[in-house]
Amino acid sequence: MGTTTLITKKTEARDFVNNLKLQNKTIGFVPTMGCFHDGHLSLIKKSIEHCDETIVSIFVNPKQFGPNEDFNKYPRTLEEDLKHCNELGVIGVFTPDNNEMYGNSENIVFNVQPPEQYVNKLCGEFRPGHFEGVATVVTKLFNIIPADKVFMGCKDAQQLFIIKKLVEALDIPIEIVECSTIREADGLACSSRNINLDIHSRKIAPNLYQSLSFIKTAYIAGEKDFVKLSNEVKSKFINQFKEIRLEYLLALDYNDLKFINVLKPYSLIAIAAKIGNVRLIDNIILN
Ligand code: AMP
């Protein structure tokens, strides 16, 4: 396919996109932290299908990692990622370094703080500051890449929820396109972190999705009691494996991110666990 332009400077990225817009092109944007898997590729393909041109960003955002998290161990495969972009027909890839994104102003920083009720639960409870880091980098990226549409995965349901609210609250003129979760053949949600799973952990990792599927099947069959279902699932798929350290298995109304006990349409069932040293998340939304 075409040749992808590699852009490392913010001003060049903005000029590049504005120049395409002057040619009346619609622009799709796919923000990522790289180490592409089929989930990333599905977002890029969808953008290419729905927009005239597609821009991808690859930036492992230090602000969204806690001090004891895996920022340094986060997998980086830039060369292969660029190859994919080139093959798929991505027109530009924005790969800034930390200094370009945040400058040197260590002591004076502006952050975007999402409302407390959206960040004090699920991953926000286990990763203090994470969604502040996500909201800040995404706001910056939307200003640097003034695209028409941004393609984001439901795999990160809390992130997607917060970014939808952020775009609305801060009047950012970009349309968010929600993309479904892509999975491995055994149900495990594709994630850049999967390559850090050892053989045994990889074998039992699909239990997270099995837990979600069990709940969905029971819900479709008429069971609405989430407390009962979560207890059942924990004893069937989680507790017997000492390597799975469950962080949460929760049901929420995906309209407002409030906890629920009685399942209903548009319930978000979200799960997070550490398996070995790898933290995995997954979710489903009920119809
Ligand atoms: P990341 O590189 O992890 O920051 O993810 C970049 C984008 O890919 C985000 O919008 C994620 O929600 C999305 N994504 C991650 N995993 C998947 C998946 N398995 N299926 C679909 N989208 C995904």
Side-chain angles (χ1 to χ4, degrees):
M1 276 294 273
T3 313
T4 307
T5 302
L6 195 60
I7 307 162
T8 55
K9 300 290 175 219
K10 294 190 277 194
T11 50
E12 281 167 25
R14 197 179 288 115
D15 290 348
F16 189 83
V17 174
N18 282 332
N19 188 39
L20 292 171
K21 285 175 121 178
L22 282 176
Q23 300 165 43
N24 280 328
K25 309 253 194 197
T26 58
I27 315 294
F29 176 37
V30 183
T32 79
M33 297 204 299
C35 191
F36 289 172
H37 49 65
D38 286 349
H40 294 114
L41 300 183
S42 76
L43 305 187
I44 296 171
K45 284 179 193 158
K46 200 160 177 183
S47 175
I48 285 181
E49 192 186 316
H50 288 91
C51 301
D52 294 330
E53 299 294 357
T54 292
I55 308 278
V56 171
S57 67
I58 300 175
F59 178 60
V60 184
N61 174 32
K63 253 188 210 283
Q64 68 188 69
F65 289 79
N68 298 318
E69 293 186 351
D70 58 349
F71 175 71
N72 289 323
K73 258 182 35 198
Y74 197 85
R76 290 156 169 90
T77 56
L78 184 61
E79 228 163 86
E80 280 162 46
D81 295 349
L82 293 177
K83 229 157 110 195
H84 281 296
C85 288
N86 209 24
E87 278 165 15
L88 290 171
V90 170
I91 195 161
V93 174
F94 178 50
T95 57
D97 63 20
N98 292 345
N99 191 45
E100 177 67 10
M101 274 308 264
Y102 293 115
N104 297 316
S105 51
E106 295 263 310
N107 299 320
I108 309 164
V109 283
F110 279 87
N111 282 326
V112 179
Q113 178 66 60
E116 191 54 24
Q117 66 264 38
Y118 299 154
V119 300
N120 65 2
K121 56 184 59 154
L122 302 175
C123 290
E125 189 185 337
F126 290 86
R127 305 186 70 187
H130 171 68
F131 287 113
E132 191 177 323
V134 169
T136 302
V137 79
V138 160
T139 303
K140 286 166 73 71
L141 286 170
F142 290 172
N143 283 325
I144 296 163
I145 317 271
D148 299 286
K149 296 175 195 264
V150 60
F151 294 78
M152 307 196 87
C154 293
K155 153 91 177 2
D156 299 278
Q158 188 176 14
Q159 168 176 288
L160 180 63
F161 178 92
I162 291 171
I163 292 171
K164 272 161 60 180
K165 295 287 182 193
L166 178 151
V167 161
E168 200 184 313
L170 301 186
D171 301 305
I172 301 178
I174 198 162
E175 181 194 334
I176 294 180
V177 182
E178 299 179 19
C179 304
S180 44
T181 301
I182 305 298
R183 301 178 178 284
E184 305 286 346
D186 59 8
L188 175 65
C190 297
S191 162
S192 306
R193 291 187 167 96
N194 289 353
I195 59 172
N196 288 334
L197 292 165
D198 62 36
I199 291 173
H200 179 64
S201 302
R202 175 62 189 83
K203 224 171 167 172
I204 58 176
N207 283 29
L208 304 192
Y209 181 58
Q210 279 172 22
S211 304
L212 299 171
S213 300
F214 182 92
I215 292 171
K216 186 173 181 174
T217 305
Y219 169 76
I220 291 168
E223 181 59 76
K224 306 284 185 278
D225 182 344
F226 178 70
V227 180
K228 184 178 156 209
L229 286 174
S230 70
N231 286 334
E232 216 171 320
V233 153
K234 282 178 201 165
S235 71
K236 254 188 182 16
F237 300 107
I238 307 289
N239 292 344
Q240 49 186 308
F241 299 94
K242 65 174 185 336
E243 304 86 347
I244 305 182
R245 300 191 312 284
L246 187 69
E247 288 190 350
Y248 61 74
L249 171 61
L250 293 163
L252 303 95
D253 185 333
Y254 201 40
N255 291 299
D256 54 14
L257 227 57
K258 287 188 177 150
F259 292 121
I260 53 171
N261 284 328
V262 180
L263 298 177
K264 58 183 180 179
Y266 215 50
S267 297
L268 169 72
I269 317 293
I271 191 166
K274 277 198 177 134
I275 306 184
N277 292 324
V278 183
R279 185 175 185 277
L280 299 177
I281 60 170
D282 201 353
N283 70 81
I284 49 166
I285 296 167
L286 300 179
N287 296 319

